[in-house]
């Protein structure tokens, strides 16, 4: 029996059992669509995180007071710290490569740990450190024209900060040391926060004091992962006048520029050792955290991969149910066509050809289910890409740098090929036992079957 004859007989059999065949195929469709949706969501989220974290600067470390212990709110990666409390209210956005940081009034058994000039000097003495600067951050009321909002304010040393930041200027210029009453604002502060857009040389009130906008940053697109887009930057001396809860010698965080990206891990170790010594603590009582964009990205990616595999495993259960459905359908097909099998054998059809006939049927069911499952998967992915970020509370994080849309789910050609191949294999494997049963039927017994 030729392969074309086997395929023609298989298709003819499936056509005659239309409703049963389609119900069997439906199980595969749902399973494939679910697997594609889960895997594409995981891959899409990983790509979005990597693109957002990529703007942080791989050679910039952040030292924060307190021990990191958890993820931040609303799905974004904000490092929380034991023993630390936000300055001037909880910080909703962080800058550049910084993790969220905490500060308090003093370091003791009853108060929150802080960072001081002593810590900054210790960091500067560490091996591999090219530059370091203290940053203070908090939230303050900002007014422009008739509208007032509360947003993040950061006090920086422009001389050092300008060499570390990966943010780019949209208009105007970066801050300079002499800009005592000047501010640098994020793109969304300029275009989305107030009723009218803020332009360079505009005057805004920050904490009741008048400042002139000297520059506006390009949109970084890092959303909840440490964006400069909703931050107002000013010199650290000006920020201390506004964020009055932070003592004159304290910092919310310390940013560290490493001499080379190859030395990041070694520099983290060196900075940690210097701070352990200067703060007179041990690794068990450590009251500070040194983070890097690379370590943050690795942690997030690992978590995303674990979640993706877990959800994909759940989705794969429906494929297992579909496989059982195929096996059931094929067993029923063998029982219904026992006499036909006997006739084919009496005409000289070999056992291997009978087996190929039924395996081809189950394979076609798997392939058809896979094709339609991929199509349904594309529809599901499209819906998720359209509304997924809003449903998951990521909001502005769904936008890439430059304001273009980012997909939360990505379907690759490899994923499509995997889905089709896997569904076809599931179909073939599910049909092997029924096909073997059909091939082993005795001719006389099969001919006598009604």
């Amino acid at each position: 029996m030729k392969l074309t004859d086997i395929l023609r007989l298989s298709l003819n059999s499936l056509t005659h059992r239309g409703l049963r065949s389609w119900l069997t195929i439906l199980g595969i469709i749902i399973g494939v669509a679910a697997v594609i949706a889960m895997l594409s969501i995981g891959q899409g989220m990983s790509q979005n995180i990597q693109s957002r974290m990529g703007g942080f600067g791989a050679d910039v470390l952040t030292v924060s007071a307190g021990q990191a212990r958890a993820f931040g709110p609303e799905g974004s990666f904000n490092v929380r710290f034991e023993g630390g409390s936000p300055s001037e209210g909880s910080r909703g956005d962080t800058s550049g490569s910084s993790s969220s940081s905490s500060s308090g009034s003093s370091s003791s058994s009853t108060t929150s740990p802080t960072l001081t000039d002593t810590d900054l000097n210790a960091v500067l003495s560490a091996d591999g450190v090219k530059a370091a600067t203290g940053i203070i951050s908090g939230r303050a009321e900002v007014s422009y024209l008739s509208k007032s909002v509360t947003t993040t304010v950061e006090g920086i040393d422009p001389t050092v900060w300008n060499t570390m930041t990966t943010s780019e200027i949209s208009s105007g210029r970066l801050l300079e040391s002499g800009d005592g009453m000047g501010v640098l604002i994020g793109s969304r502060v300029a275009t989305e926060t107030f009723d009218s857009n803020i332009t360079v040389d505009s005057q805004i009130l920050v904490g009741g004091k008048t400042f002139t906008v000297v520059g506006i940053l390009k949109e970084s697109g890092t959303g909840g992962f440490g964006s400069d887009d909703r931050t107002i930057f000013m010199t650290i001396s000006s920020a201390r006048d506004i964020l009055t809860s932070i003592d004159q010698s304290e910092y919310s965080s310390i940013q560290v520029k490493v001499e080379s990206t190859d030395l990041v891990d070694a520099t983290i170790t060196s900075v940690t050792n210097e701070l352990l010594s200067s703060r007179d603590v041990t690794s068990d009582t450590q009251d500070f955290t040194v983070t890097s964009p690379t370590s943050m990205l690795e942690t997030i990616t690992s978590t995303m991969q674990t979640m993706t595999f877990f959800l994909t495993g759940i989705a794969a259960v429906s494929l297992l149910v579909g496989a059982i459905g195929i096996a059931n359908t094929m067993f029923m097909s063998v029982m219904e066509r026992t006499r036909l099998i006997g006739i084919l054998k009496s005409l000289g059809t070999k056992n291997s050809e009978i087996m190929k006939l039924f395996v081809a049927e189950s394979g076609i069911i798997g392939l058809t289910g896979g094709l339609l499952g991929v199509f349904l998967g594309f529809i599901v992915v499209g819906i998720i890409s359209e509304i997924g970020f809003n449903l998951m509370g990521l909001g502005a994080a769904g936008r890439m740098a430059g304001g273009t849309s980012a997909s939360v789910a990505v379907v690759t050609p490899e994923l499509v090929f995997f889905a089709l191949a896997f569904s076809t294999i599931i179909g073939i494997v599910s049909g092997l036992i029924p096909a073997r049963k059909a091939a082993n039927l005795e001719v006389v017994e099969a001919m006598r079957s009604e």
Side-chain angles (χ1 to χ4, degrees):
M1 188 182 295
K2 296 180 180 179
L3 179 60
T4 53
D5 294 328
I6 292 175
L7 293 176
R8 180 172 54 80
L9 287 172
S10 299
L11 289 171
N12 183 62
S13 175
L14 292 174
T15 303
H16 279 80
R17 304 194 315 272
L19 180 59
R20 188 193 303 167
S21 296
W22 280 112
L23 289 175
T24 305
I25 290 172
L26 182 61
I28 300 297
I29 293 175
I30 295 173
V32 170
V35 169
I36 282 185
M38 293 300 102
L39 288 176
S40 61
I41 289 172
Q43 187 164 359
M45 290 292 285
S46 295
Q47 288 185 9
N48 275 291
I49 289 171
Q50 290 175 10
S51 64
R52 286 166 175 73
M53 297 288 286
F56 281 7
D59 59 347
V60 177
L61 311 178
T62 301
V63 180
S64 303
Q67 276 283 59
R69 61 179 175 85
F71 286 92
E74 298 182 1
S76 63
F77 187 89
N78 289 317
V79 180
R80 294 193 174 192
F81 302 90
E82 294 178 349
S85 60
S87 55
E88 288 290 318
S90 298
R91 186 177 177 200
D93 300 286
T94 54
S95 126
S97 64
S98 303
S99 304
S100 296
S101 59
S102 305
S103 64
S105 58
S106 63
S107 179
S108 70
S109 59
T110 59
T111 58
S112 303
T114 61
L115 296 173
T116 65
D117 288 324
T118 302
D119 299 309
L120 179 58
N121 291 331
V123 170
L124 285 168
S125 66
D127 294 335
V129 173
K130 183 177 182 180
T133 181
I135 292 176
I136 66 171
S137 61
R139 296 183 66 82
E141 186 178 81
V142 181
S143 301
Y144 178 63
L145 299 179
S146 59
K147 185 176 180 180
S148 297
V149 299
T150 300
T151 192
T152 302
V153 174
E154 285 204 354
I156 61 174
D157 178 355
T159 304
V160 183
W161 187 84
N162 291 350
T163 66
M164 294 186 180
T165 183
T166 57
S167 299
E168 299 178 359
I169 287 291
S170 173
S171 59
R173 59 176 174 80
L174 292 172
L175 278 175
E176 297 176 354
S177 299
D179 289 324
M181 301 307 293
V183 292
L184 177 67
I185 63 176
S187 63
R188 294 191 182 180
V189 175
T191 60
E192 298 180 9
T193 303
F194 300 97
D195 296 332
S196 300
N197 290 350
I198 301 177
T199 58
V200 174
D201 294 330
S202 297
Q203 291 190 331
I204 62 175
L205 287 176
V206 183
K209 299 180 182 293
T210 302
F211 290 86
T212 300
V213 177
V214 300
I216 300 173
L217 296 174
K218 288 184 179 179
E219 183 173 6
S220 63
T222 51
F225 300 95
S227 174
D228 294 343
D229 297 340
R230 298 187 185 276
T231 302
I232 295 177
F233 299 92
M234 60 180 64
T235 61
I236 196 165
S237 59
S238 298
R240 290 194 185 281
D241 293 335
I242 295 172
L243 306 177
T244 55
S245 67
I246 303 177
D247 290 348
Q248 291 297 312
S249 61
E250 292 180 1
Y251 300 104
S252 301
S253 62
I254 297 174
Q255 282 194 348
V256 184
K257 189 172 182 65
V258 181
E259 292 179 351
S260 170
T261 54
D262 297 332
L263 300 175
V264 168
D265 291 338
T267 304
I268 290 177
T269 301
S270 178
V271 168
T272 300
N273 291 336
E274 291 291 340
L275 287 174
L276 287 174
S277 176
S278 69
R279 296 171 74 90
D280 194 23
V281 294
T282 65
S283 56
D284 293 331
T285 59
Q286 181 176 329
D287 58 355
F288 63 90
T289 302
V290 183
T291 58
S292 70
T294 302
S295 62
M296 291 167 62
L297 179 59
E298 289 175 351
T299 301
I300 297 173
T301 300
S302 176
T303 303
M304 287 299 304
Q305 288 176 344
T306 301
M307 184 181 70
T308 299
F309 285 131
F310 176 72
L311 294 176
T312 302
I314 295 175
V317 172
S318 59
L319 270 179
L320 177 61
V321 174
I324 295 173
I326 292 177
N328 179 66
T329 297
M330 297 311 299
F331 273 119
M332 292 296 296
S333 178
V334 172
M335 292 175 62
E336 292 172 352
R337 291 190 290 169
T338 301
R339 186 175 178 83
L340 175 61
I341 294 170
I343 294 173
L344 289 173
K345 282 194 168 187
S346 67
L347 293 176
T349 304
K350 299 177 182 178
N351 286 352
S352 60
E353 292 172 334
I354 296 294
M355 191 167 181
K356 289 177 183 178
L357 177 64
F358 284 89
V359 169
E361 284 186 26
S362 59
I364 290 172
I365 290 175
L367 179 60
T368 304
L371 288 170
L372 296 177
V374 168
F375 179 74
L376 179 60
F378 271 106
I379 296 176
V380 172
V381 166
I383 295 173
I384 292 173
S385 296
E386 185 67 25
I387 65 174
F389 275 114
N390 292 330
L391 290 177
M392 289 182 283
L394 294 179
R399 289 162 60 90
M400 297 287 286
T404 58
S405 297
S407 175
V408 68
V410 176
V411 181
T412 62
E414 293 81 4
L415 179 56
V416 173
F417 176 78
F418 167 77
L420 292 176
F422 190 66
S423 61
T424 302
I425 292 172
I426 282 286
I428 292 173
V429 171
S430 301
L432 281 176
I433 296 178
R436 184 175 180 82
K437 179 181 178 181
N440 290 335
L441 286 174
E442 295 292 337
V443 177
V444 175
E445 293 296 327
M447 291 287 288
R448 291 171 58 185
S449 176
E450 293 295 336

